[in-house]
Amino acid sequence: MKNFFKILLTALAVIVLASFVPGIDIENNYLTAVVVAVVISLLNMFVRPLLIFFTLPATLVTLGLFLFVINAIIILMAGKLVDGFHVSGFLSALIFSILLSLFRSYLFSFFEDEKEND
C-alpha cells in the first residue's frame, strides 16, 4: 500500500514539476503522470543499476556527480517510452530529474517518519 502512495506522490510531483520546468510537457495530466511515475520507478529498478555499473569509472572520477547524468537519461528514456510525456532535451531532463529527486525525498520523508513512530 505504501508503494501505491509513493507512485501517486511521484505522479503528483511530475504534474507539478511539468508545469514549472521548461521543455517538459504532459498531455492528459493525471493518467499520463501515473504512467510516467510507474515507468520511472521501473526504469530506476531495472535500468539504473546497469547504467551505474557500466559507468562506474566516470561516477568515481566525478565523485558521484555523474549520477545526475544517469537520472537525466532515465527521464529521457521515460519521455521516449510514454506517449503524452515529452522531454525536449538533456538540460530539461537534468533539471527535471534534480527537482523530482528533491520533491520525492521531501514527500517520502513523511513515510519514514511514520515508520519510526511505530
Side-chain angles (χ1 to χ4, degrees):
M1 193 67 166
K2 189 188 307 186
N3 290 333
F4 178 72
F5 285 125
K6 285 185 176 184
I7 290 197
L8 289 180
L9 288 175
T10 302
L12 174 70
V14 167
I15 290 171
V16 169
L17 292 175
S19 65
F20 291 115
V21 178
I24 305 291
D25 297 315
I26 290 188
E27 301 169 3
N28 305 331
N29 284 340
Y30 303 112
L31 181 61
T32 305
V34 171
V35 172
V36 168
V38 169
V39 168
I40 288 174
S41 297
L42 290 174
L43 287 172
N44 279 335
M45 267 195 306
F46 297 112
V47 176
R48 189 170 190 265
L50 291 173
L51 288 175
I52 290 172
F53 176 75
F54 288 123
T55 61
L56 190 60
T59 303
L60 291 175
V61 168
T62 61
L63 302 175
L65 292 177
F66 195 75
L67 293 175
F68 289 123
V69 174
I70 291 174
N71 288 341
I73 290 170
I74 295 292
I75 299 298
L76 287 170
M77 290 174 72
K80 296 289 184 189
L81 292 173
V82 178
D83 290 334
F85 179 63
H86 305 285
V87 181
S88 66
F90 181 78
L91 186 61
S92 297
L94 183 66
I95 293 169
F96 184 81
S97 68
I98 291 170
L99 292 176
L100 184 65
S101 297
L102 292 173
F103 204 94
R104 285 178 59 174
S105 65
Y106 174 72
L107 290 175
F108 291 173
S109 68
F110 295 119
F111 288 108
E112 292 174 10
D113 290 342
E114 182 180 297
K115 186 173 68 172
E116 291 175 1
N117 292 334
D118 288 339

